[in-house]
Amino acid sequence: MTDSSRQRNTDALVAAIVQMGAKRRLGKDAQIYAQGETAAYVCLVVTGSVSTSRLMSDGRRQVGDFYLPGEVFGLETGETHRFSAEALRPCELILGNRAALNSLAEDRELERAMWRAMSRELDRAQEHLALLGRKTACERVATLLADVASRSDGAADLPMGRQDMADYLGLTIETVSRTLTQLQGSRVVEFAGFRRFRVSNPTALERLAA
Amino acid sequence: MTDSSRQRNTDALVAAIVQMGAKRRLGKDAQIYAQGETAAYVCLVVTGSVSTSRLMSDGRRQVGDFYLPGEVFGLETGETHRFSAEALRPCELILGNRAALNSLAEDRELERAMWRAMSRELDRAQEHLALLGRKTACERVATLLADVASRSDGAADLPMGRQDMADYLGLTIETVSRTLTQLQGSRVVEFAGFRRFRVSNPTALERLAA
DNA sequence: CGATCGGTTGAGTCATCTCAACAGAGGTGG
DNA sequence: CCACCTCTGTTGAGATGACTCAACCGATCG
């Protein structure tokens, strides 16, 4: 999950959404769309942060991914959304009408951009599969920290709370918490508050992320 | 993973691959492409079965998905394959040149078909995320059995061995084996040999799959 | 007929989960 | 300004599901 893989640099898709989309403000925890809903919009994050997630009938929850400013989500399905999307904090989004974007599809550049975005989603999902299927709790947490840290320089801010981290990593909130204190104890990262942190030992973090 | 979600019915993509692709035979365990390799081909399974997988530096392995006759794989990435693909048994494939397919892209029908196929891959990956992140061993095995059974009527054949099941489900081979005997003991499924089985109690299996 | 391969079974260990108590930050009202 | 409450996160103790290591079993093959 480097900057380029997240496609934070503007491309044709971002440009099209900005040009034709409708801006919208959302409060914390607001639902942007629900799972099963018809996929009407492709969304660009302007400020704030968003997560996609899926709920099982008994309440178990799996977070699919997190999206930061400059990133596009909502592209992930065919007819209906398989995940729901929620604002992790107050957000400003631009919603691009899916049908309108498709009808613009004579635009080769836009088409390629949508393809790339979809491809990126799939890459990330596959990386996530290996994390959930084969990594230890410590490796999972280290991977997430490395990922977030790679998207900012110096001190980084976790865009999500502990529960969202746990649901992303396939762990419990207690295990996430314990692992974080352990990672601090071994001087790999340093926390200032619950969310702000600095990577003290990038090499060690990289190695732990496996 | 219903028939329709696997797109076993021929569509424009399958048609295009059949028309312009090169047929190829492969022995068991043959590698079709490696992770990191440039994605040159989109592949259609004619006979046999295929798995995609990803290897970590220390040998841990995550299987991404399994593909049966009529299904298309190799579409999953942008420039390079993030997973490798191997034949689970002797196979007959048709390899469609990726560039050639892209150049045919004035064909709206083909384009939509490729989009749908990509979408399907993503859907399946997301379902797989929830399985790995939040399901118990028993639920995972039940889900896989239900999935395979839904693709055939009456008795079904597991296209893969225990190790591949384990690497798909994020479990060890021993846990898979134990769970299978337990599922037989409770009369949910009935095995005849290591691979051939019948669902004795579809309702129970559905419930266990969660 | 022995060797090999894939699968099963058993015993003991360990990572992670569960349940429960505690702690700090921030908000609210008296 | 303080007492209280809620919300989020941390810590502890004990339980447990899945893993590890090792033996065993049956089928297949040379």
Side-chain angles (χ1 to χ4, degrees):
Chain A
M1 191 197 289
T2 58
D3 277 7
S4 68
S5 84
R6 295 297 296 220
Q7 194 69 22
R8 301 173 78 185
N9 44 327
T10 52
D11 67 359
L13 177 55
V14 169
I17 297 175
V18 167
Q19 188 199 323
M20 69 186 309
K23 196 165 262 186
R24 193 160 145 202
R25 272 173 200 284
L26 291 160
K28 179 168 152 53
D29 294 327
Q31 187 172 66
I32 300 156
Y33 52 77
Q35 75 193 72
E37 197 173 309
T38 302
Y41 297 107
V42 179
C43 312
L44 169 70
V45 182
V46 178
T47 62
S49 52
V50 169
S51 73
T52 54
S53 67
R54 174 175 249 278
L55 221 46
M56 293 173 59
S57 48
D58 60 356
R60 281 176 286 181
R61 180 167 174 267
Q62 178 64 48
V63 168
D65 215 337
F66 301 112
Y67 299 87
L68 298 186
E71 299 172 351
V72 174
F73 68 96
L75 205 61
E76 76 251 36
T77 55
E79 293 309 301
T80 63
H81 291 294
R82 293 301 168 105
F83 275 43
S84 68
E86 298 100 31
L88 288 167
R89 54 174 72 179
C91 274
E92 216 174 355
L93 306 177
I94 303 182
L95 307 187
N97 188 293
R98 191 186 189 71
L101 283 172
N102 282 335
S103 73
L104 267 189
E106 317 83 67
D107 182 344
R108 278 272 159 276
E109 190 56 39
L110 174 59
E111 194 184 329
R112 265 199 302 275
M114 290 182 76
W115 193 261
R116 273 199 309 274
M118 189 82 160
S119 209
R120 218 151 40 224
E121 287 290 311
L122 195 46
D123 281 351
R124 287 184 57 76
Q126 291 175 338
E127 194 69 42
H128 199 177
L129 284 183
L131 180 145
L132 292 173
R134 290 307 183 197
K135 290 190 182 181
T136 65
C138 181
E139 290 170 341
R140 295 183 202 195
V141 173
T143 304
L144 178 58
L145 290 179
D147 189 355
V148 171
S150 79
R151 297 199 232 170
S152 52
D153 32 39
D157 253 312
L158 289 169
M160 74 301 276
R162 297 291 187 267
Q163 186 62 59
D164 287 311
M165 292 179 68
D167 288 340
Y168 175 77
L169 298 173
L171 300 170
T172 59
I173 189 174
E174 294 96 331
T175 299
V176 170
S177 181
R178 276 184 246 275
T179 307
L180 285 173
T181 52
Q182 173 194 327
L183 247 29
Q184 283 179 90
S186 47
R187 308 274 167 227
V188 176
V189 293
E190 200 174 344
F191 270 80
F194 294 144
R195 293 180 171 228
R196 178 160 289 269
F197 72 100
R198 224 174 48 76
V199 179
S200 329
N201 188 341
T203 321
L205 186 62
E206 198 54 42
R207 189 174 39 73
L208 285 173
Chain B
M1 193 198 287
T2 61
D3 277 8
S4 69
S5 84
R6 293 298 295 224
Q7 195 68 24
R8 300 174 77 187
N9 44 328
T10 51
D11 67 358
L13 177 54
V14 169
I17 296 176
V18 167
Q19 190 199 324
M20 70 187 307
K23 195 165 262 185
R24 193 163 143 198
R25 272 173 198 287
L26 290 161
K28 179 167 150 53
D29 295 327
Q31 187 171 67
I32 299 156
Y33 51 78
Q35 77 193 71
E37 196 173 309
T38 301
Y41 297 107
V42 180
C43 312
L44 170 70
V45 181
V46 179
T47 63
S49 52
V50 168
S51 73
T52 53
S53 67
R54 175 176 249 278
L55 221 47
M56 293 173 58
S57 49
D58 60 358
R60 280 177 287 182
R61 181 167 172 265
Q62 178 63 48
V63 167
D65 215 336
F66 300 112
Y67 299 88
L68 297 186
E71 299 173 350
V72 173
F73 68 95
L75 204 63
E76 78 249 38
T77 55
E79 294 308 303
T80 61
H81 291 294
R82 292 300 168 107
F83 275 42
S84 67
E86 298 101 30
L88 288 167
R89 54 175 70 183
C91 274
E92 216 175 355
L93 306 177
I94 303 182
L95 308 187
N97 188 294
R98 190 185 189 73
L101 282 172
N102 281 335
S103 74
L104 267 190
E106 315 83 70
D107 181 344
R108 278 273 160 276
E109 190 56 38
L110 174 59
E111 192 183 332
R112 266 200 301 275
M114 289 181 77
W115 192 261
R116 274 201 308 275
M118 188 84 161
S119 209
R120 218 150 42 226
E121 287 290 312
L122 196 45
D123 281 351
R124 287 183 57 76
Q126 290 175 339
E127 193 68 43
H128 199 177
L129 284 182
L131 179 145
L132 292 173
R134 290 305 183 200
K135 290 188 180 181
T136 65
C138 181
E139 290 169 339
R140 295 183 202 195
V141 172
T143 304
L144 178 57
L145 290 179
D147 189 355
V148 171
S150 78
R151 297 198 234 170
S152 50
D153 31 41
D157 253 313
L158 290 169
M160 73 302 274
R162 298 291 186 267
Q163 186 61 59
D164 287 310
M165 294 179 68
D167 288 341
Y168 175 77
L169 299 172
L171 300 170
T172 59
I173 190 174
E174 292 96 331
T175 299
V176 170
S177 181
R178 276 185 247 274
T179 307
L180 285 173
T181 52
Q182 173 194 324
L183 246 31
Q184 281 180 90
S186 47
R187 309 276 169 224
V188 177
V189 292
E190 198 175 345
F191 270 81
F194 294 145
R195 295 184 170 222
R196 178 160 291 269
F197 71 101
R198 222 176 49 77
V199 180
S200 330
N201 188 340
T203 321
L205 186 62
E206 199 55 41
R207 190 176 35 75
L208 284 172

Coordinates of all heavy atoms in Angstrom, one line a residue, chain A residues 19-76:
Chain A
Q19 N -15.3 16.7 -11.3 CA -16.0 17.5 -12.2 C -17.5 17.4 -12.2 O -18.3 18.4 -12.2 CB -15.5 17.2 -13.6 CG -16.0 18.1 -14.7 CD -15.8 17.5 -16.1 OE1 -14.9 16.7 -16.3 NE2 -16.8 17.7 -17.0
M20 N -18.0 16.1 -12.1 CA -19.4 15.9 -12.3 C -20.1 15.5 -11.0 O -21.3 15.3 -11.0 CB -19.7 14.9 -13.4 CG -19.2 13.5 -13.0 SD -19.4 12.3 -14.3 CE -21.0 12.6 -14.8
G21 N -19.4 15.3 -9.9 CA -20.0 14.7 -8.7 C -20.6 15.8 -7.8 O -20.4 17.0 -8.0
A22 N -21.4 15.3 -6.9 CA -22.0 16.2 -5.9 C -21.3 16.1 -4.6 O -21.0 15.0 -4.1 CB -23.5 15.8 -5.7
K23 N -20.9 17.2 -4.0 CA -20.2 17.2 -2.7 C -21.2 16.9 -1.6 O -22.4 17.3 -1.7 CB -19.6 18.6 -2.5 CG -18.5 18.6 -1.4 CD -17.7 19.9 -1.5 CE -16.4 19.6 -2.2 NZ -15.4 20.7 -2.1
R24 N -20.8 16.3 -0.6 CA -21.6 15.9 0.5 C -20.8 15.9 1.8 O -19.7 15.3 1.8 CB -22.3 14.5 0.2 CG -23.4 14.2 1.1 CD -24.3 13.1 0.5 NE -24.8 12.3 1.5 CZ -25.2 11.0 1.3 NH1 -25.2 10.5 0.1 NH2 -25.7 10.3 2.3
R25 N -21.5 16.4 2.9 CA -20.8 16.3 4.2 C -21.5 15.3 5.0 O -22.7 15.1 5.0 CB -21.0 17.7 4.9 CG -19.9 18.6 4.6 CD -20.2 20.0 5.2 NE -19.5 21.0 4.6 CZ -18.1 21.2 4.8 NH1 -17.5 20.4 5.7 NH2 -17.5 22.1 4.2
L26 N -20.7 14.6 5.8 CA -21.3 13.5 6.7 C -20.7 13.6 8.0 O -19.5 13.9 8.2 CB -20.9 12.1 6.1 CG -21.6 11.8 4.8 CD1 -20.8 10.7 4.1 CD2 -23.0 11.4 5.0
G27 N -21.5 13.3 9.0 CA -21.0 13.2 10.4 C -20.4 11.9 10.7 O -20.5 10.9 9.9
K28 N -19.7 11.8 11.8 CA -19.0 10.6 12.3 C -20.0 9.4 12.3 O -21.2 9.7 12.7 CB -18.4 10.8 13.6 CG -17.7 9.6 14.2 CD -16.9 10.1 15.5 CE -16.7 8.9 16.5 NZ -16.2 7.7 15.9
D29 N -19.6 8.3 11.9 CA -20.5 7.1 11.9 C -21.6 7.1 11.0 O -22.4 6.1 11.0 CB -21.0 6.8 13.3 CG -19.8 6.4 14.3 OD1 -18.8 5.8 13.8 OD2 -19.9 6.8 15.5
A30 N -21.8 8.1 10.1 CA -22.8 8.1 9.2 C -22.6 7.0 8.1 O -21.5 6.7 7.8 CB -22.9 9.5 8.4
Q31 N -23.7 6.3 7.7 CA -23.6 5.3 6.7 C -23.7 5.9 5.4 O -24.6 6.7 5.1 CB -24.6 4.2 6.9 CG -24.4 3.1 6.0 CD -25.4 1.9 6.3 OE1 -26.6 2.1 6.1 NE2 -24.8 0.8 6.8
I32 N -22.8 5.6 4.5 CA -22.7 6.2 3.1 C -23.6 5.3 2.2 O -24.4 5.8 1.4 CB -21.3 6.3 2.6 CG1 -20.6 7.3 3.6 CG2 -21.3 6.9 1.2 CD1 -19.1 7.1 3.6
Y33 N -23.4 4.0 2.3 CA -24.3 3.1 1.6 C -24.3 1.8 2.4 O -23.4 1.5 3.2 CB -24.0 2.9 0.2 CG -22.6 2.5 -0.1 CD1 -22.1 1.2 0.1 CD2 -21.7 3.4 -0.7 CE1 -20.8 0.8 -0.2 CE2 -20.3 3.0 -1.0 CZ -19.9 1.8 -0.7 OH -18.6 1.4 -1.0
A34 N -25.3 1.0 2.2 CA -25.5 -0.3 2.9 C -25.2 -1.5 2.0 O -25.2 -1.4 0.8 CB -26.9 -0.4 3.4
Q35 N -24.8 -2.6 2.7 CA -24.5 -3.8 1.9 C -25.8 -4.3 1.2 O -26.9 -4.2 1.9 CB -23.8 -4.9 2.7 CG -24.6 -5.7 3.6 CD -23.7 -6.5 4.6 OE1 -23.1 -6.0 5.5 NE2 -23.7 -7.8 4.4
G36 N -25.8 -4.6 0.0 CA -27.0 -5.1 -0.7 C -27.6 -4.0 -1.5 O -28.4 -4.2 -2.5
E37 N -27.3 -2.7 -1.2 CA -27.9 -1.6 -1.9 C -27.3 -1.5 -3.3 O -26.2 -1.9 -3.6 CB -27.4 -0.3 -1.1 CG -28.2 0.9 -1.4 CD -27.7 2.0 -0.4 OE1 -27.7 1.8 0.8 OE2 -27.4 3.1 -0.9
T38 N -28.1 -1.0 -4.2 CA -27.7 -0.8 -5.6 C -26.5 0.2 -5.6 O -26.6 1.2 -5.0 CB -28.8 -0.3 -6.5 OG1 -29.9 -1.2 -6.4 CG2 -28.4 -0.1 -7.9
A39 N -25.5 -0.2 -6.3 CA -24.3 0.7 -6.4 C -24.6 1.8 -7.3 O -24.4 1.7 -8.5 CB -23.1 -0.1 -6.8
A40 N -25.0 3.0 -6.8 CA -25.3 4.1 -7.6 C -24.2 5.1 -7.7 O -24.1 5.8 -8.7 CB -26.5 4.8 -7.0
Y41 N -23.3 5.1 -6.7 CA -22.2 6.2 -6.7 C -20.8 5.6 -6.6 O -20.6 4.6 -5.9 CB -22.5 7.1 -5.5 CG -23.8 7.9 -5.7 CD1 -24.8 7.5 -4.8 CD2 -23.9 8.8 -6.6 CE1 -26.0 8.2 -5.0 CE2 -25.1 9.5 -6.7 CZ -26.2 9.2 -5.9 OH -27.4 9.9 -6.1
V42 N -19.9 6.3 -7.1 CA -18.5 6.1 -6.9 C -18.0 7.3 -6.1 O -18.3 8.4 -6.5 CB -17.7 6.0 -8.2 CG1 -16.2 5.8 -7.9 CG2 -18.3 4.9 -9.1
C43 N -17.3 7.1 -5.0 CA -17.1 8.2 -4.0 C -15.6 8.5 -3.9 O -14.7 7.6 -3.9 CB -17.6 7.8 -2.7 SG -19.3 7.1 -2.7
L44 N -15.3 9.8 -3.8 CA -14.0 10.3 -3.6 C -13.9 10.9 -2.2 O -14.8 11.8 -1.9 CB -13.7 11.3 -4.7 CG -12.4 12.1 -4.5 CD1 -11.2 11.3 -4.7 CD2 -12.3 13.3 -5.4
V45 N -13.0 10.6 -1.4 CA -12.8 11.2 -0.1 C -12.0 12.5 -0.3 O -11.0 12.5 -0.9 CB -12.0 10.3 0.8 CG1 -11.9 10.9 2.2 CG2 -12.6 8.9 0.9
V46 N -12.6 13.6 0.2 CA -12.0 14.9 0.2 C -11.3 15.1 1.5 O -10.1 15.4 1.6 CB -13.0 16.0 -0.2 CG1 -12.2 17.4 -0.2 CG2 -13.6 15.7 -1.5
T47 N -12.1 15.1 2.6 CA -11.5 15.1 3.9 C -12.1 14.0 4.8 O -13.2 13.5 4.4 CB -11.8 16.5 4.6 OG1 -13.2 16.6 4.7 CG2 -11.3 17.7 3.8
G48 N -11.5 13.7 5.9 CA -12.0 12.7 6.8 C -11.5 11.3 6.3 O -10.5 11.2 5.6
S49 N -12.2 10.3 6.8 CA -11.8 8.9 6.4 C -13.0 8.0 6.5 O -13.9 8.2 7.2 CB -10.7 8.4 7.2 OG -11.0 8.5 8.6
V50 N -12.9 6.9 5.7 CA -14.1 6.0 5.5 C -13.6 4.6 5.6 O -12.5 4.3 5.3 CB -14.7 6.3 4.0 CG1 -15.7 5.2 3.7 CG2 -15.3 7.7 4.0
S51 N -14.5 3.7 6.1 CA -14.3 2.3 6.1 C -15.4 1.6 5.4 O -16.5 2.0 5.4 CB -14.1 1.7 7.5 OG -15.4 1.7 8.1
T52 N -15.1 0.5 4.7 CA -16.1 -0.4 4.2 C -16.1 -1.7 5.1 O -15.1 -2.1 5.6 CB -15.8 -0.8 2.8 OG1 -14.5 -1.4 2.7 CG2 -15.9 0.3 1.8
S53 N -17.3 -2.2 5.3 CA -17.4 -3.4 6.2 C -18.6 -4.2 5.8 O -19.5 -3.8 5.1 CB -17.5 -3.0 7.6 OG -18.7 -2.3 7.9
R54 N -18.6 -5.4 6.4 CA -19.6 -6.4 6.1 C -20.0 -7.0 7.4 O -19.1 -7.3 8.2 CB -18.9 -7.5 5.2 CG -19.7 -8.7 4.9 CD -18.9 -9.5 3.9 NE -19.6 -9.5 2.6 CZ -20.6 -10.3 2.3 NH1 -21.1 -11.1 3.2 NH2 -21.2 -10.2 1.1
L55 N -21.3 -7.2 7.6 CA -21.8 -7.7 8.9 C -22.4 -9.1 8.7 O -23.1 -9.4 7.7 CB -22.9 -6.8 9.3 CG -23.0 -6.4 10.8 CD1 -21.7 -6.0 11.3 CD2 -24.0 -5.3 10.9
M56 N -22.0 -10.0 9.6 CA -22.6 -11.3 9.5 C -23.9 -11.3 10.3 O -24.1 -10.4 11.2 CB -21.7 -12.4 10.0 CG -20.5 -12.6 9.1 SD -19.2 -13.8 9.8 CE -20.2 -15.3 10.0
S57 N -24.8 -12.3 10.1 CA -26.1 -12.3 10.8 C -26.0 -12.2 12.3 O -26.8 -11.6 12.9 CB -26.9 -13.5 10.4 OG -26.0 -14.7 10.5
D58 N -25.0 -12.8 12.9 CA -24.8 -12.8 14.3 C -24.0 -11.6 14.8 O -23.6 -11.6 16.0 CB -24.2 -14.1 14.8 CG -22.9 -14.3 14.2 OD1 -22.4 -13.5 13.4 OD2 -22.2 -15.3 14.6
G59 N -23.7 -10.6 14.0 CA -23.0 -9.4 14.5 C -21.5 -9.4 14.2 O -20.9 -8.3 14.4
R60 N -21.0 -10.5 13.9 CA -19.5 -10.5 13.6 C -19.3 -9.6 12.4 O -20.2 -9.5 11.5 CB -19.0 -11.9 13.3 CG -18.8 -12.7 14.5 CD -18.4 -14.1 14.1 NE -19.5 -14.9 13.6 CZ -19.3 -16.2 13.2 NH1 -18.2 -16.8 13.3 NH2 -20.4 -16.9 12.8
R61 N -18.2 -8.8 12.4 CA -18.0 -7.8 11.4 C -16.6 -7.9 10.8 O -15.7 -8.2 11.5 CB -18.1 -6.5 12.2 CG -18.0 -5.2 11.3 CD -18.5 -4.0 12.1 NE -18.2 -2.8 11.5 CZ -17.1 -2.0 11.7 NH1 -16.2 -2.4 12.5 NH2 -16.9 -0.9 11.0
Q62 N -16.6 -7.7 9.5 CA -15.3 -7.7 8.8 C -15.1 -6.4 8.1 O -16.0 -6.1 7.2 CB -15.1 -8.9 7.9 CG -13.8 -8.9 7.1 CD -12.6 -9.1 8.0 OE1 -12.6 -10.0 8.9 NE2 -11.6 -8.3 7.8
V63 N -14.1 -5.6 8.4 CA -13.8 -4.4 7.7 C -13.0 -4.7 6.4 O -12.0 -5.5 6.5 CB -13.0 -3.4 8.6 CG1 -12.5 -2.3 7.7 CG2 -13.9 -2.9 9.7
G64 N -13.4 -4.2 5.3 CA -12.8 -4.5 4.0 C -11.6 -3.6 3.8 O -10.5 -4.1 3.5
D65 N -11.8 -2.3 4.0 CA -10.6 -1.4 3.8 C -10.9 0.0 4.4 O -12.1 0.3 4.7 CB -10.3 -1.3 2.3 CG -8.8 -1.1 2.1 OD1 -8.1 -0.7 3.0 OD2 -8.3 -1.4 1.0
F66 N -9.9 0.8 4.5 CA -10.0 2.1 4.9 C -9.6 3.1 3.8 O -8.7 2.7 3.0 CB -9.0 2.4 6.1 CG -9.3 1.5 7.3 CD1 -8.4 0.5 7.7 CD2 -10.4 1.7 8.0 CE1 -8.6 -0.3 8.7 CE2 -10.7 0.8 9.1 CZ -9.8 -0.1 9.5
Y67 N -10.3 4.2 3.7 CA -10.0 5.2 2.6 C -9.7 6.5 3.2 O -10.4 7.0 4.0 CB -11.2 5.2 1.6 CG -11.4 3.9 1.0 CD1 -12.2 2.9 1.6 CD2 -10.8 3.5 -0.2 CE1 -12.4 1.7 1.0 CE2 -11.0 2.3 -0.8 CZ -11.8 1.4 -0.2 OH -11.9 0.1 -0.7
L68 N -8.6 7.1 2.7 CA -8.2 8.5 3.2 C -8.4 9.5 2.1 O -8.7 9.1 0.9 CB -6.7 8.4 3.6 CG -6.4 7.5 4.7 CD1 -4.9 7.6 5.1 CD2 -7.3 7.8 5.9
P69 N -8.2 10.8 2.4 CA -8.4 11.8 1.4 C -7.7 11.6 0.1 O -6.5 11.2 0.1 CB -7.9 13.1 2.1 CG -8.2 12.8 3.5 CD -7.9 11.4 3.7
G70 N -8.3 11.7 -1.0 CA -7.7 11.5 -2.3 C -8.0 10.1 -2.9 O -7.7 9.8 -4.0
E71 N -8.6 9.3 -2.0 CA -8.8 7.9 -2.5 C -10.3 7.7 -2.9 O -11.2 8.3 -2.4 CB -8.4 6.9 -1.4 CG -6.9 7.1 -1.1 CD -6.5 6.3 0.1 OE1 -7.3 5.7 0.9 OE2 -5.2 6.2 0.3
V72 N -10.5 6.7 -3.8 CA -11.8 6.4 -4.3 C -12.3 5.1 -3.8 O -11.6 4.1 -3.8 CB -11.7 6.4 -5.9 CG1 -13.1 6.0 -6.5 CG2 -11.3 7.7 -6.4
F73 N -13.6 5.1 -3.4 CA -14.2 3.8 -3.0 C -15.6 3.7 -3.6 O -16.1 4.6 -4.2 CB -14.2 3.7 -1.5 CG -15.1 4.6 -0.8 CD1 -16.4 4.2 -0.5 CD2 -14.7 5.9 -0.5 CE1 -17.3 5.1 0.1 CE2 -15.6 6.8 0.1 CZ -16.9 6.4 0.4
G74 N -16.2 2.5 -3.5 CA -17.6 2.4 -3.9 C -17.6 1.7 -5.3 O -18.7 1.5 -5.9
L75 N -16.5 1.5 -5.8 CA -16.3 0.9 -7.1 C -16.3 -0.6 -7.1 O -16.3 -1.3 -8.1 CB -14.9 1.3 -7.6 CG -14.6 1.4 -9.1 CD1 -15.5 2.4 -9.7 CD2 -13.1 1.8 -9.2
E76 N -16.4 -1.1 -5.8 CA -16.0 -2.5 -5.6 C -16.9 -3.6 -6.2 O -16.5 -4.7 -6.2 CB -15.8 -2.8 -4.1 CG -17.0 -2.9 -3.3 CD -17.3 -1.8 -2.4 OE1 -17.0 -0.6 -2.8 OE2 -17.7 -2.0 -1.3

